[in-house]
Amino acid sequence: MQTFYLALALFLLLTLGAGMWRVLRGPTAADRMLAAQLFGTTAVAVLLLLAQASGNAALRDVALVFALLAAVTAVAFVQRAWPKQKQEQEQPQETERDVD
């Protein structure tokens, strides 16, 4: 079973090639962010597989930390990448109040 877990971990690492291609060639920032999320998710999956294969419980804790960091990174990216849309939506509401 340990060989199976290690083979799955290797397969997941190979899928990162597709993610790297998307990071380099992604037409939009959102495509690049989704590829970065793929890296985070794959890292968590690989760590969990390695923890199961080796019986090392500390790797599960590291995987949990990576999962939390990936979620925080996604939120930070969205707030940084699209602040203008939020401001544009707020401005018409303010002008409507001024007209009344």
Side-chain angles (χ1 to χ4, degrees):
M1 196 64 160
Q2 182 178 5
T3 306
F4 178 69
Y5 290 139
L6 294 175
L8 280 176
L10 179 64
F11 174 74
L12 288 172
L13 289 174
L14 292 175
T15 63
L16 289 179
M20 185 58 76
W21 180 79
R22 179 54 64 189
V23 166
L24 296 174
R25 307 285 267 173
T28 65
D31 290 330
R32 290 183 174 100
M33 184 58 205
L34 286 174
Q37 285 296 108
L38 171 71
F39 293 154
T41 304
T42 302
V44 169
V46 167
L47 285 171
L48 289 173
L49 285 169
L50 291 176
Q52 187 67 27
S54 67
N56 190 353
L59 287 176
R60 288 188 188 104
D61 295 334
V62 174
L64 179 63
V65 170
F66 274 18
L68 292 172
L69 285 175
V72 169
T73 301
V75 170
F77 173 80
V78 168
Q79 288 184 351
R80 184 174 183 266
W82 289 288
K84 291 182 181 181
Q85 291 178 355
K86 184 178 178 184
Q87 291 173 355
E88 290 172 1
Q89 291 174 355
E90 290 175 0
Q91 286 176 352
Q93 293 173 355
E94 292 174 5
T95 57
E96 290 174 6
R97 289 182 198 155
D98 294 338
V99 173
D100 292 336

